[in-house]
């Protein structure tokens, strides 16, 4: 009967690779880099109003839920009111070939919004997020092109929602007014 033993030896390359990856993670965290997704929002109840498509509403709802924010339907329950003033998606001709046929388009997405507290105090004035993407066009693949445009618009909308979340995170929460009973010192 033969005895087999297993020995675990760490090679120099593995040790060096592990050390370099830890060093890289440390350097990235020191410069402020972090994974996307979670945003530290000071507001836990938000009312969304205005003109927005169902797709944008769904993306905002998902992003707020991921960040622990409840979307409310009443101004009295909200800590912040996000008003979507307009949402636009457009397509511009970018270039033509020698025969006068379109060869490229520019896809444009724009969101205009503002934010205020339940009392109507404006916390973020009317702002916009504007994104463009250029896309090549081939006359022989019109249906594939339409599908590609829809995918571009979808990813651009997600980018806009991420930028909106970062902008909302930059809004500082206003101190709440104290009632007269809260401002008086408590007696023992």
């Amino acid at each position: 009967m033969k005895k087999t033993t297993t020995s675990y030896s760490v090679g120099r390359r593995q040790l060096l690779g592990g050390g370099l990856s830890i060093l890289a993670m440390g350097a990235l965290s020191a410069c402020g880099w972090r994974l996307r997704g979670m945003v530290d929002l000071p507001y836990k109840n938000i009312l969304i109003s205005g003109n927005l498509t169902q797709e944008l509403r769904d993306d905002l709802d998902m992003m707020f839920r991921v960040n622990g924010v409840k979307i409310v339907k009443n101004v009295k329950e909200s800590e912040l009111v996000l008003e979507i003033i307009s949402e636009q998606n457009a397509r511009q001709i970018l270039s033509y070939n020698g025969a006068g046929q379109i060869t490229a388009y520019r896809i444009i997405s724009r969101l205009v919004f503002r934010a205020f507290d339940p009392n109507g105090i404006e916390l973020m004035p009317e702002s916009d997020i504007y994104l463009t993407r250029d896309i090549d066009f081939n006359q022989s693949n019109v249906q594939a092109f339409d599908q590609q445009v829809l995918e571009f618009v979808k990813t651009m909308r997600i980018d806009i929602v991420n930028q909106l979340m970062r902008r909302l995170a930059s809004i500082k929460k206003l101190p709440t007014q104290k009632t007269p009973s809260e401002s008086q010192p408590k007696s023992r």
Side-chain angles (χ1 to χ4, degrees):
M1 187 166 181
K2 201 174 190 182
K3 272 189 171 180
T4 58
T5 59
T6 312
S7 65
Y8 296 99
S9 64
V10 177
R12 223 167 98 186
R13 284 185 180 176
Q14 290 173 327
L15 194 58
L16 184 61
L20 286 175
S21 64
I22 289 173
L23 182 65
M25 288 188 322
L28 284 174
S29 66
C31 75
W33 183 86
R34 63 187 170 95
L35 289 174
R36 287 187 181 183
M38 294 294 289
V39 178
D40 187 22
L41 292 170
Y43 303 96
K44 297 303 172 199
N45 295 318
I46 293 181
L47 172 71
I48 302 173
S49 68
N51 302 323
L52 62 159
T53 61
Q54 187 60 45
E55 292 86 3
L56 179 62
R57 184 176 295 280
D58 292 343
D59 288 343
L60 284 171
D61 185 43
M62 185 227 16
M63 190 60 85
F64 282 129
R65 235 180 314 117
V66 164
N67 288 288
V69 176
K70 182 180 176 187
I71 296 176
V72 296
K73 299 204 183 294
N74 188 347
V75 175
K76 300 287 185 206
E77 299 171 5
S78 70
E79 298 173 51
L80 179 78
V81 177
L82 172 64
E83 181 183 7
I84 306 297
I85 298 167
S86 71
E87 176 190 6
Q88 300 167 337
N89 293 307
R91 186 187 317 184
Q92 260 181 2
I93 297 172
L94 192 60
S95 66
Y96 296 96
N97 63 12
Q101 296 174 326
I102 298 169
T103 58
Y105 281 99
R106 174 164 286 153
I107 310 301
I108 301 167
S109 253
R110 181 175 183 236
L111 181 74
V112 181
F113 66 96
R114 69 185 191 114
F116 51 93
D117 75 353
N119 298 324
I121 298 171
E122 194 170 69
L123 302 174
M124 181 174 281
E126 188 173 309
S127 305
D128 70 334
I129 301 172
Y130 184 85
L131 295 178
T132 63
R133 300 285 189 271
D134 296 341
I135 184 171
D136 292 330
F137 177 69
N138 184 350
Q139 288 284 33
S140 63
N141 274 339
V142 175
Q143 287 181 331
F145 175 76
D146 288 341
Q147 185 62 35
Q148 191 176 12
V149 167
L150 290 175
E151 288 298 317
F152 268 66
V153 169
K154 181 179 177 181
T155 58
M156 290 168 73
R157 187 176 53 249
I158 291 169
D159 287 347
I160 284 175
V161 168
N162 285 327
Q163 287 187 37
L164 177 64
M165 296 300 284
R166 288 191 297 274
R167 289 192 191 184
L168 292 177
S170 72
I171 300 173
K172 301 296 181 215
K173 196 170 189 177
L174 292 177
T176 56
Q177 292 286 350
K178 291 184 178 180
T179 61
S181 62
E182 291 176 340
S183 60
Q184 294 175 354
K186 294 181 181 178
S187 59
R188 294 182 191 192

